[in-house]
Amino acid sequence: ITIHQQSEKRTMSSAAPSNANDGCVGPTSQEAGKAAACAGCPNQGACSTGSFSSPAAVAAKEKEKANLHNALSEVSHVVLVLSGKGGVGKSTVSTQVAQSLSSRGYSVGLLDVDICGPSIPRMAGVLGREVHQSQSGWTPVYANPNLAVMSISFLLEEGDAAVVWRGPRKNGLIKQFLT
């Protein structure tokens, strides 16, 4: 599986709820529900009372982790292409590596997590195609029999439209792509 990652400055706790404000300190922090970033957050009350660390919440988090582990159990190699700078060719390198490996008979998945400017579908020659929903989740678009491509571009009315999501919301979408 080849994963393409957009560079991004992390401003939220990785444990933050998916609908949390930017700058969220996370529900397990001593400042949870009290920090300046908590003002106006829909989770402020739950964070300040400890609801996110309840036994039910911990069990749900463990189930999510198990689902992700199960979804990736048959993946033997992961190549992560990332950079701390934009415009350096991450999408180009990701697409070329994926196409090269697939042309040699390897089964390859190319995940475009550049939510803000998805370009991999264009580079892989699958722009305009649609992802199909099934009982087991989304079925990726195949550029060739050995190359599966997944991108938010397939879910948008205009494939080259930008989606400005960061932190937990973006992470939630990536988890959904992986499972």
Side-chain angles (χ1 to χ4, degrees), residues 130-147:
E130 293 182 10
V131 171
H132 298 284
Q133 182 76 32
S134 68
Q135 288 181 338
S136 60
W138 288 323
T139 302
V141 170
Y142 282 83
N144 67 50
N146 295 329
L147 178 56

Side-chain angles (χ1 to χ4, degrees), residues 4-97:
H4 164 75
Q5 173 70 43
Q6 167 74 14
S7 59
E8 149 181 342
K9 183 179 176 185
R10 300 219 29 130
T11 58
M12 300 176 116
S13 165
S14 61
S18 61
N19 60 345
N21 289 350
D22 282 342
C24 177
V25 296
T28 58
S29 167
Q30 294 218 341
E31 291 296 308
K34 302 172 202 138
C38 299
C41 178
N43 304 300
Q44 186 174 13
C47 287
S48 63
T49 62
S51 295
F52 286 107
S53 54
S54 70
V58 170
K61 193 108 174 138
E62 287 301 317
K63 182 179 179 189
E64 180 182 53
K65 188 187 293 185
N67 288 343
L68 187 57
H69 180 50
N70 185 42
L72 297 176
S73 65
E74 295 188 30
V75 174
S76 57
H77 295 85
V78 174
V79 177
L80 179 65
V81 178
L82 63 97
S83 170
K85 181 170 176 15
V88 295
K90 297 178 292 289
S91 295
T92 302
V93 168
S94 297
T95 303
Q96 292 300 316
V97 168

